Amino acid sequence: MRNKASRLLLCGLAVGLALSLSVPVSAAAASVNPSSKKAELQAADPVPQIYARVSPSVVGIIGKAQGGKNTGLDNRYNLVHGSGVILTSGGWIVTNAHVIKSMQKATVVTSDGKSYSVTDYYADELSDIAILKINAAHLKPASLAGASSVKVGEKVVAIGAPLSFALRNSATVGVVSGSGRVVDASYRLLQSDAAINPGNSGGPLVDMNGKVIGIVSMKYSAVGVDNTGFAIPAETVRYIIKQLFTYGEVRRPSLGLELQQSWSAIVGLPAEDPLTVTKAVSAAARKAGIAEGDELYSIDGHRVTSAVDINELFKSYRPGQTVQLLMQSGGDIVQRKLVLGEGDPIVGTDDGGSADDKTEE
């Protein structure tokens, strides 16, 4: 009996000791739980931190609609607006060409509510990119992502002024739905299911590293269509703004040819069909021996089946360069050397074919 009582006493002491030790441990855990829980939530959803970092670099742009009357009370409400992204601390901003060209007396409003008049701008309608200038200092520039950094399925945030200028710096969240999309544009686009509405144009599409991976440009809007928006990739934005800063325009190389895409390329089917020459516009193209009915397969070994293929390829070319074309002419596969002119890459109106003479776009 004495041994049994001793064993019960020892067990009771052990349980009591365990319980006494567990109280301060639990209390300590409770005391750190809120902060650790918050850290876990932040790690699980970085969107609030991304928004806080990037939103100061996003602006609203508002102005009178082009062609609107300048008198009357109703004119106060004849306004259009869009969004933009700060490029430099000294006041250069990137937006869509269709945003700035649609308005008169444009005003930029920064995230802290300060207003600035637009003093100058340069626009490229083919890419739908523009840069504009305001007299401001100490602005917070956004950071453009590097080339080929986008993955389909990754989470993204769109920031802009949807529907109403009063809603500027609104955030919507989605994923990258696709890349390299060809939809009513001259360059390949990013597709996202983040909600995009009128007024988001010119604003950023941002990845989870806080980098701008694209400039929002358009969306599909129709009954039964949801969350199908598009953005101009950062790589294309860099190419365009570099040219606009350097020349005030984009100096594109041109083949001096009118080309027709195949039916497969137009509707988006996988195809290796060549482009058909409908007219040799420039003297350089005719001098190279290119004629109506010839078919173009590749440029310097790069296969091209659409106008967008050529536009993308020509980001790394300049007017005056000589390219090697693989073509079919009169039933024969031939090589043609062509000196690139300047203008629309696949429609040239420059009869001289010189890099020094501009063609109309």
Side-chain angles (χ1 to χ4, degrees), residues 13-306:
L13 289 172
V15 170
L17 181 60
L19 288 173
S20 66
L21 288 174
S22 68
V23 172
V25 171
S26 298
S31 68
V32 300
N33 189 55
S35 59
S36 62
K37 191 77 172 178
K38 184 177 179 181
E40 289 175 10
L41 289 173
Q42 289 176 345
D45 188 3
V47 171
Q49 288 71 39
I50 297 299
Y51 176 82
R53 188 191 316 171
V54 180
S55 184
S57 303
V58 181
V59 303
I61 307 169
I62 192 168
K64 293 182 178 180
Q66 285 284 6
K69 296 179 181 179
N70 293 320
T71 58
L73 290 176
D74 289 343
N75 185 57
R76 292 177 301 167
Y77 306 105
N78 187 21
L79 302 171
V80 291
H81 76 275
S83 305
V85 180
I86 296 170
L87 289 174
T88 70
S89 61
W92 280 103
I93 292 162
V94 62
T95 185
N96 287 146
H98 79 258
V99 168
I100 191 63
K101 291 183 77 68
S102 68
M103 60 181 68
Q104 309 174 51
K105 298 181 179 179
T107 297
V108 169
V109 179
T110 52
S111 63
D112 58 3
K114 294 180 180 178
S115 299
Y116 303 88
S117 296
V118 173
T119 60
D120 200 6
Y121 79 87
Y122 303 96
D124 177 63
E125 293 187 61
L126 196 64
S127 65
D128 197 26
I129 287 292
I131 55 172
L132 56 87
K133 182 68 169 65
I134 60 175
N135 287 329
H138 309 298
L139 299 178
K140 182 180 178 182
S143 178
L144 290 178
S148 304
S149 63
V150 178
K151 293 182 176 64
V152 174
E154 71 173 294
K155 198 172 186 178
V156 289
V157 181
I159 305 175
L163 302 176
S164 168
F165 197 66
L167 301 179
R168 60 189 178 275
N169 288 75
S170 294
T172 54
V173 180
V175 299
V176 176
S177 305
S179 62
R181 299 304 199 200
V182 181
V183 281
D184 301 325
S186 298
Y187 294 93
R188 301 191 186 281
L189 302 175
L190 296 174
Q191 179 188 344
S192 170
D193 70 347
I196 301 295
N197 288 287
N200 275 108
S201 292
L205 191 67
V206 184
D207 67 13
M208 291 299 99
N209 294 313
K211 303 285 187 180
V212 176
I213 63 171
I215 297 297
V216 173
S217 181
M218 69 172 89
K219 66 168 289 187
Y220 277 137
S221 179
V223 175
V225 177
D226 295 316
N227 297 351
T228 306
F230 298 91
I232 303 163
E235 181 184 0
T236 300
V237 175
R238 286 180 186 277
Y239 164 70
I240 298 297
I241 63 177
K242 182 179 180 181
Q243 295 250 348
L244 293 177
F245 275 130
T246 304
Y247 307 113
E249 62 181 358
V250 180
R251 297 184 177 177
R252 293 181 173 86
S254 174
L255 291 170
L257 301 171
E258 289 183 1
L259 296 169
Q260 183 180 61
Q261 299 177 139
S262 69
W263 175 82
S264 298
I266 291 171
V267 301
L269 290 172
E272 294 295 325
D273 299 329
L275 291 151
T276 302
V277 177
T278 57
K279 186 177 181 181
V281 179
S282 71
R286 295 192 292 272
K287 183 179 179 181
I290 303 171
E292 180 181 345
D294 289 355
E295 295 183 324
L296 174 62
Y297 285 90
S298 69
I299 302 172
D300 283 346
H302 300 279
R303 191 65 183 268
V304 289
T305 62
S306 68

